[in-house]
Every structure is written in C-alpha cells, then in structure tokens.
Amino acid sequence: MSTLAARAERAAAVAARHADAVDREGRFPEEAVAALKAERLLGLQIPSQFGGEGAGLTQIAELCSTLGHACSAAAMVFAMHHIKVSSLVTHALDSAWHCRLMERIAREQLLVASSTTEAGIGGDLRNSLCAVETTGEVFALGKDASVISYGAQADLILATARRNPDAATSDQVLVALLADQISLARTGEWDTLGMRGTCSEGFRLEARDVPVEQILPKPFAEIAAQSMLASSHLLWSSVWYGIASYAVDRARAFVQAEARRRPGQVPPTALRLAEVSNAHQAMRGTIVTALRRFEDAHGDADTIGSLGFCVMLNNLKVTVSDMAVDIVRRALSIVGLAGYKNDTPFSLGRPLRDVLSAPLMIGNDRILANTAKLLLVQKSSGQLMSA
Amino acid sequence: MNITQAIRDILGSNEAFAGKADQLSEDDSLFDMGLDSFGSVQLMLALEERFSVEFPDALLNRKSFATIRAIRDAVSTLVRQEAA
C-alpha cells in the first residue's frame, strides 16, 4: 500500500506531462483524471463503511496543491469533484439512496460535477429559476445551465433547482443526476485565457423520470452554508497555492542557475526572489490557518455556519486569489523573457493565464460586498490563537 | 413590549416574508422560506435598534435566527441581561 502522497505524486506526474497539450487544445485533462481514478483518489473523502478512505478536507487540500503544481485544470477538476463529494459526505448520510451512491463513487471512481449557474440567475448560488417537477415517485428537471464544468465528461451531476414550481427562487434543493439519466445539449463554448481544460461549457440539461429519492433531503440553503462555502474556498485556495508554488519554484531555479554562473556574487534577482518567498509564505499561512480552523470546528454546523466563520472564508478567498496572481506575476518578472516564452524550462505563460481566473471565479468584488454586509453586525475580530 | 410581534413586524419588511410574516408559525424554518445571510443581517440590525441590545458574536449563527422562537429566545436573553 503506497502512501497518499506517493499516489498523488504519480497522478500529478501524469497531469504535468499533458498540461501543455490540455491548455493548448482547450481539452479535458483525460489522462490526469484517468490517473486520479487509477490511484483511487476520487473516493478519498467517502467514509470507509462505503468503501472510501474517510479523508478530511486538509488531506484533499494537500492533493489539490500537489496537482495545482502540475496542471491547474486537472487540479481544479479534482477540487470541484471533491467540493461536491463533501456535500454528499456532510449532508447525505441519512439518505439510503445517496449512501449507495457514495459506495458507487468509491467503487467505480465516479467523477462528480456541479450545476449551480443558470441563465437569468448567473453565478448566484443561492437562487434558481428551474424547478423540480414531481409526478408521483419521479421528477423532471430542465435547466439552462450556462456553466457546467466538465459537464460532458462527468459521471454524475449535482444540480440545484427550486423545490417545486411554486417555490421561491431561494427555496432550493440539490439533486443527484447520473449521466445516463440526463441529456445535455451544448449551448456555450469554453474558449478562455486560462483554465482551458476545465471545459466549463454551457448546456441545456434535461432529466426525466428520475426517482425522487435522488433529491438530497437537506435544503440546499443548509448545504451551501455548512459544507460548500468552506470546501470551495479551502480547496480552490489550495489549487492556487499549487500554481503559485510552481511559479516560485521556476523563479528559484532561475536565480540559482544565475548564481552558479557567477560564483561569489548574489544575483540581483535574488532580492526579488526573497520578496516572492515572503509573499508565498504569507499565502501558505493564510490557507493553513483557515484549514486548521475548519478542522477545529469538527463539522459543528453552528461554528461553520456562523457569521464569523463566513467572514473568515470570504477573506481567505479574496486574499489568496489576489496573492496567487501577484506571486506568479512577480515570478515572471524574475525569470524575464525565459518565462514569457512558451518553450523554455522556465515558461510561466500557462500558470499565469490559469491563475488569472482566481480573482474572477466568484468575483472578489461580489465576495467583498457580501463580507461588507456581514461586518455590519460582527462585534469583534477574535483572539490571535482562537476565533 | 411584545417581542414576538416586533419580530413579525420586522420580518414583514423583508422581501421574502412580505405579507406573510403574521402567518408564520413560531417553528417555521425562516431559512427554508427564503431568509438569506443579508436578510438575517438586516433582521439583526433592526432588532438591535428596536430593543437597544447588541448580538454578541456567539449568537451570530444560523441557529439563533432559524425560527421566530429562536430569535425571541435570543432577544429575551439579551434584553434581560441589559436590564440586570
């Protein structure tokens, strides 16, 4: 039995080998995902009684970082998959159908995608226009999903929808839809600056005659507050950390090569490297602190759903996404033209284009506006070593 | 001062509950009925102003604002502490 780190490294090596092609061709990182399945890394979070390994978010975060170092798109697919799995693990243990689903995810290494974004609603997670239409023991759902990352490649999609056609737009449920239960008609392309391999295309999603037991019993409002917000920001941040680390490693190698060429001198770029190393450590500290606070909460819904915790997670996302861009950009300025070119050992074009998505995926302004509202009632900034 | 009626009045000014705040039972889940994070912040601010209290951070969670009963319990406790 090899260690988790060794399994992750093997999958990351495959991802790294194909990262440039995935980016250039704007295609799904199929080799990397096949390697993740072969290493059985898609079922890690599933509890052991369902055939998984019961891994916590911290272990998943470490893997996101390892993969982010190799291929941003593969890492983001892995992160998004595990964000959805964390919703199942946290909220579906009292549903027999979803427990069997978790067994299947672990056994068959099913890839799980998410459909929240909708035409007319945009990226506002907590509102839906489409609605579950129940007839007896089955339901139908039609959704103009303007983005479903790797929707065409996923084995399973967790989609938000209104509870019924009369429900308010915020009265949502989460439904599990297997690939063979739905039809997806492509309505939008994913031809982007970076993160080209996530294939976050638009689709018209149609599902018919799906058993109602596939609707998660918990209201989506609870799922969003208690597992999705935390898992999204923690795992995305870890992917961005991996991308930033790759750039810092390139810059370090470049400075060291310069130092070897001129023994006895400290290259001028070394000072810039020291600055980047400083920012990189601060970024790491921010993520690790947030992961520790999450682990310390031990899944307590009141802590994780509290206003202070939400402010902390919002701040994590804004800080880390901005730092990631800054670090990669500074690494590029150290490496210079060798980083700007696409065919050198120091090329940083792909990671720079990829990381530019970080402040945009859930725009930082939208998150800051949400924090601003929460701060209207928060009373204290907490202690140094505790919340 | 009737705390429950004040809570219903304040809820009624929230879009999700306009016109139906008086029909809510004390144990209806406000979040299931569309109360979002900003709505609960607005509710807290209005309650703080109305009763001259401040919700401590420990009460700033979903449970404190899940139902009319939970809100009333929290406000009553704060009002008693203020009076003591």
Side-chain angles (χ1 to χ4, degrees):
Chain A
M1 184 66 192
S2 80
T3 65
L4 188 53
R7 290 155 66 195
E9 288 295 344
R10 285 196 295 267
V14 175
R17 214 155 40 237
H18 299 278
D20 280 329
V22 163
D23 172 60
R24 193 170 50 244
E25 297 160 26
R27 66 166 174 84
F28 183 68
E30 54 187 318
E31 300 88 350
V33 172
L36 290 168
K37 291 185 175 191
E39 297 291 348
R40 307 201 65 72
L41 296 173
L42 296 189
L44 276 179
Q45 261 190 112
I46 307 280
S48 50
Q49 72 262 34
F50 302 130
E53 298 175 45
L57 221 47
T58 301
Q59 288 166 291
I60 306 296
E62 184 78 286
L63 266 63
C64 286
S65 162
T66 302
L67 289 166
H69 198 278
C71 170
S72 315
M76 197 46 89
V77 169
F78 181 77
M80 290 191 279
H81 163 85
H82 274 290
I83 291 162
K84 298 329 284 179
V85 173
S86 86
S87 290
L88 289 174
V89 168
T90 313
H91 300 285
L93 292 173
D94 51 0
S95 156
W97 191 89
H98 294 92
C99 288
R100 290 196 299 278
L101 178 67
M102 284 189 263
E103 284 176 346
R104 280 194 63 189
I105 292 173
R107 189 175 59 241
E108 302 169 32
Q109 294 289 298
L110 302 183
L111 180 65
V112 189
S114 169
S115 169
T116 57
T117 308
E118 185 176 5
I121 290 280
D124 179 5
L125 191 69
R126 285 288 289 104
N127 281 285
S128 291
L129 291 177
C130 66
V132 168
E133 295 179 51
T134 306
T135 318
E137 291 303 303
V138 296
F139 71 88
L141 173 66
K143 182 168 186 172
D144 285 317
S146 34
V147 175
I148 307 180
S149 292
Y150 54 95
Q153 290 81 16
D155 302 304
L156 171 74
I157 294 176
L158 295 186
T160 49
R162 284 186 294 143
R163 183 180 303 280
N164 59 59
D166 299 321
T169 56
S170 59
D171 185 5
Q172 298 161 291
V173 289
L174 191 64
V175 302
L177 303 167
L178 293 158
D180 61 9
Q181 293 177 314
I182 57 173
S183 68
L184 288 176
R186 194 173 278 106
T187 54
E189 301 292 305
W190 182 250
D191 180 5
T192 49
L193 181 66
M195 284 290 181
R196 295 171 54 78
T198 59
C199 299
S200 306
E201 298 161 335
F203 298 95
R204 172 67 193 180
L205 182 158
E206 292 284 356
R208 261 180 236 299
D209 300 325
V210 181
V212 290
E213 56 187 349
Q214 294 184 215
I215 303 172
L216 267 84
K218 290 267 165 53
F220 180 66
E222 265 181 58
I223 298 173
Q226 287 166 19
S227 74
M228 262 190 75
L229 184 74
S231 56
S232 301
H233 290 337
L234 290 167
L235 296 186
W236 291 349
S237 293
S238 305
V239 170
W240 301 327
Y241 179 77
I243 301 173
S245 299
Y246 174 82
V248 171
D249 288 350
R250 295 298 87 207
R252 188 189 299 103
F254 184 86
V255 171
Q256 290 175 353
E258 276 198 325
R260 281 193 290 269
R261 275 197 301 275
R262 297 187 188 79
Q265 290 177 37
V266 177
T269 49
L271 199 64
R272 299 283 92 81
L273 179 66
E275 285 177 340
V276 170
S277 150
N278 195 351
H280 183 248
Q281 181 178 321
M283 180 188 187
R284 180 184 193 168
T286 303
I287 300 169
V288 170
T289 304
L291 282 166
R292 291 238 166 91
R293 275 191 66 183
F294 179 80
E295 295 290 352
D296 287 348
H298 295 291
D300 178 59
D302 289 335
T303 305
I304 293 170
S306 74
L307 188 143
F309 207 84
C310 182
V311 169
M312 183 277 286
L313 289 169
N314 283 354
N315 286 338
L316 168 75
K317 194 276 169 180
V318 172
T319 303
V320 168
S321 59
D322 281 341
M323 288 189 90
V325 172
D326 183 53
I327 288 169
V328 178
R329 195 184 50 75
R330 290 210 233 174
L332 176 62
S333 75
I334 291 170
V335 171
L337 210 55
Y340 194 71
K341 290 177 72 177
N342 284 329
D343 55 354
T344 83
F346 302 104
S347 300
L348 286 173
R350 176 170 51 80
L352 179 63
R353 288 184 288 103
D354 289 339
V355 84
L356 285 171
S357 67
L360 310 178
M361 60 183 285
I362 307 191
N364 281 356
D365 273 359
R366 181 189 290 209
I367 293 182
L368 283 170
N370 177 268
T371 307
K373 291 170 190 166
L374 301 178
L375 291 178
L376 296 177
V377 287
Q378 193 187 30
K379 300 300 182 303
S380 113
S381 304
Q383 302 295 306
L384 176 62
M385 297 304 289
S386 63
Chain B
M1 169 168 24
N2 182 336
I3 294 179
T4 306
Q5 192 52 48
I7 294 167
R8 288 184 190 279
D9 290 349
I10 292 168
L11 272 176
S13 62
N14 182 294
E15 197 187 339
F17 301 98
K20 51 184 177 183
D22 286 333
Q23 283 93 55
L24 292 171
S25 91
E26 298 223 330
D27 295 307
D28 279 339
S29 165
L30 302 178
F31 293 110
D32 287 357
M33 304 189 68
L35 184 67
D36 59 11
S37 64
F38 186 47
S40 52
V41 164
Q42 290 302 317
L43 184 58
M44 275 178 230
L45 285 170
L47 291 165
E48 289 185 340
E49 175 73 11
R50 177 76 171 264
F51 294 101
S52 300
V53 293
E54 286 197 358
F55 284 93
D57 287 333
L59 287 180
L60 300 184
N61 57 47
R62 290 171 59 80
K63 199 158 74 179
S64 309
F65 289 83
T67 62
I68 289 179
R69 187 189 302 280
I71 298 172
R72 191 186 56 224
D73 290 350
V75 172
S76 311
T77 307
L78 292 172
V79 170
R80 269 200 307 278
Q81 284 169 358
E82 198 70 24

